[in-house]
Amino acid sequence: MTRLLGISGSLRAGSYNTALLHAAAELLPTGVELEVATVHGIPLYDGDAEEKDGIPAAVEALKDKLAACDGLVLCTPEYNHSVPGVLKNAIDWMSRPGADKERVFGGRPVALLGASPSGFGTVLAQNAWLPVFRILGMRYWCGRELMVSGAHKVFDDQGKLQDETVRDLLRKHMAGFTDFVRG
Ligand code: FNR
């Protein structure tokens, strides 16, 4: 079994990005499972709090999920033409302490997804993640790109992916990333 972890960078109950991950989980090749996680419960990074109390339980839990998976699917909203603060904050916490970074991120395959109501579908946010993956020593899969634009028209009110073209692209994205993960 190939185990993927999906992390959505939105806290919204009606998030298009969380919905996109749930759709991805239904469009996987045989022998693959995708667990959908969010960054709920992760506090703002504070070096004083880290020194006093260590790594918060919600961060440790997500770190352990990442360390145990075969590949990460990071599903990113775009805020002000870059990465959303809540998701960057979560990744920053997860990179602490530095001595644990290799266990959690080192050499781990990572793919990007993103959804936005705009016409450009997170292209700038996805691009902005690349230096982060590099410093964390992750293996970014660049075999395909999927930026879901016009997200408000692509999902229904229950967050189900309705658009057949996007479904097909998402299926191909997950198949390509699975091949990369399996080497
Ligand atoms: C946005 N949004 C947005 N969209 C985009 O395509 N490019 C952008 O630069 C921005 N900037 C931006 C800034 C801030 C502060 C907010 C709150 C929103 C819109 C964004 O794509 C939209 O809110 C999505 O619905 C967010 O993703 P979720 O929550 O649906 O997953």
Side-chain angles (χ1 to χ4, degrees):
M1 179 61 70
T2 301
R3 291 191 170 79
L4 303 180
L5 176 68
I7 299 181
S8 169
S10 174
L11 300 174
R12 279 192 333 118
S15 161
Y16 299 125
N17 286 280
T18 307
L20 187 59
L21 276 181
H22 283 292
E26 291 174 4
L27 296 169
L28 298 169
T30 310
V32 186
E33 61 182 30
L34 171 74
E35 179 183 355
V36 177
T38 70
V39 295
H40 281 98
I42 295 185
L44 285 176
Y45 178 75
D46 177 342
D48 291 337
E50 181 187 8
E51 206 172 302
K52 186 164 157 278
D53 303 321
I55 308 299
V59 176
E60 283 294 6
L62 204 50
K63 281 174 67 176
D64 287 344
K65 279 184 196 292
L66 182 53
C69 80
D70 298 307
L72 171 66
V73 181
L74 198 72
C75 198
T76 185
E78 178 172 293
Y79 282 2
N80 294 312
H81 286 183
S82 190
V83 302
V86 290
L87 185 53
K88 180 63 163 52
N89 176 70
I91 297 292
D92 289 344
W93 256 125
M94 290 168 74
S95 71
R96 301 293 301 161
D100 208 18
K101 213 158 62 173
E102 177 65 21
R103 175 184 76 94
V104 176
F105 293 98
R108 196 159 312 284
V110 58
L112 278 165
L113 287 175
S116 152
S118 84
F120 298 103
T122 73
V123 62
L124 291 168
Q126 293 199 26
N127 205 45
W129 277 109
L130 303 184
V132 180
F133 298 156
R134 189 173 62 220
I135 187 65
L136 294 173
M138 302 186 84
R139 289 200 297 132
Y140 172 58
W141 175 65
C142 56
R144 299 182 69 89
E145 289 183 320
L146 184 48
M147 288 99 180
V148 177
S149 56
H152 53 300
K153 296 182 232 156
V154 162
F155 296 95
D156 68 15
D157 291 346
Q158 274 70 51
K160 285 277 169 214
L161 182 56
Q162 297 295 349
D163 188 296
E164 277 311 313
T165 305
V166 176
R167 285 182 79 82
D168 186 48
L169 290 171
L170 185 56
R171 188 181 285 109
K172 287 177 177 150
H173 203 80
M174 299 313 296
F177 184 50
T178 297
D179 288 346
F180 179 75
V181 167
R182 288 175 172 166

